[in-house]
Amino acid sequence: MAERQLPLARELRPRFASLIVGANDTLRAAFAIERVTAALDRAHGALSADGAVVLTACLPDPGRMLGLPGPLARPLARRMHAVNTVVHAVSARYQGVHLHLADHRWVAERASWSVDRLHPSERGHRLLARGFHTALAAAGLPVGPPPPLTLDGPPPTRAGSAVWMATRGTRWVADRCTDLLPGLLALALKECRHGVAGSGRLLDAAAERATRTALAALTEPGGAALGKTAGTVKGAATMAG
């Protein structure tokens, strides 16, 4: 995806560029934090070198958002934690504008999300825009008035959401069953095996080790490994809402 999108984005010579990754990546069987880290670093570095202000955000746990059972929710939370750690570190590496999104209270509100629970609703998009406005202002960049939170129209009704799921949503679920389901089931089976053996902490340790290794592969201009300080990286701004 990055190989296709990054050249197109650079051709536009943007002043601001949003680089939001995580949700779909954590659901895929081919997930590898090493590849995510390298792709994110390459994209952030290129856009920053072009003079763009790059906006990043840490995302909420997809298992919690989708209401998945523990054997599925835990490995997805582990993956999202790894991705968020990398996003924090890479944003700090290039002095981007980062938004702490994952732990804000509006993230848990149903009205902030579309029916698929993975994409923001109009209200969610407005809250995101308000948060980035705050982050840009905190970074000393010129901004206008904050985006309003007033919706353009009424939110979708339950009936409307049901119609979407019965039409477009059914196709989305069918596609995901072939794209994502086998990998998710394998994750759940592995989680259950470790749960029975009481060795779930080994999975946590392996994920943390892989994240440190991925970040250590990125070096600062002076040669210092980025991974040595990744655990203490803090984002640039918080989000009201």
Side-chain angles (χ1 to χ4, degrees):
M1 185 71 72
E3 288 75 10
R4 297 196 306 271
Q5 293 183 354
L6 180 58
L8 296 175
R10 297 185 72 184
E11 286 178 5
L12 297 174
R13 309 295 295 181
R15 182 182 177 191
F16 299 96
S18 63
L19 188 58
I20 311 297
V21 301
N24 286 329
D25 300 281
T26 60
L27 296 172
R28 300 192 183 283
F31 173 84
I33 194 61
E34 298 84 0
R35 286 199 295 270
V36 172
T37 302
L40 182 66
D41 183 73
R42 183 166 59 252
H44 205 316
L47 291 166
S48 297
D50 290 344
V53 176
V54 180
L55 312 177
T56 62
C58 51
L59 300 183
D61 169 11
R64 184 183 67 181
M65 297 300 301
L66 295 170
L68 297 177
L72 276 176
R74 284 190 294 274
L76 293 181
R78 202 176 287 122
R79 287 180 170 186
M80 184 55 73
H81 176 72
V83 171
N84 284 341
T85 298
V86 167
V87 171
H88 277 256
V90 172
S91 180
R93 170 180 170 87
Y94 294 106
Q95 299 182 333
V97 175
H98 181 75
L99 193 62
H100 287 292
L101 176 61
D103 297 325
H104 282 274
R105 62 180 182 272
W106 73 263
V107 171
E109 297 172 0
R110 181 67 186 86
S112 299
W113 299 93
S114 64
V115 65
D116 67 7
R117 299 290 285 169
L118 288 175
H119 298 90
S121 63
E122 181 188 350
R123 179 176 183 272
H125 277 107
R126 288 181 178 277
L127 286 164
L128 277 171
R130 177 71 68 95
F132 276 119
H133 178 277
T134 300
L136 289 166
L141 295 165
V143 292
L149 297 180
T150 304
L151 303 184
D152 289 336
T157 63
R158 289 190 176 184
S161 296
V163 169
W164 185 92
M165 283 300 297
T167 54
R168 295 174 60 188
T170 301
R171 174 64 181 273
W172 185 89
V173 171
D175 290 343
R176 297 292 80 75
C177 283
T178 56
D179 180 25
L180 305 177
L181 187 58
L184 291 177
L185 291 177
L187 273 181
L189 181 60
K190 184 177 182 180
E191 193 74 25
C192 287
R193 287 201 305 266
H194 279 272
V196 170
S199 56
R201 65 187 182 281
L202 297 179
L203 296 175
D204 296 334
E208 292 174 3
R209 189 163 53 249
T211 304
R212 288 196 302 269
T213 300
L215 287 172
L218 308 178
T219 56
E220 300 288 6
L226 183 62
K228 291 182 179 180
T229 57
T232 60
V233 170
K234 300 295 182 183
T238 57
M239 181 173 183

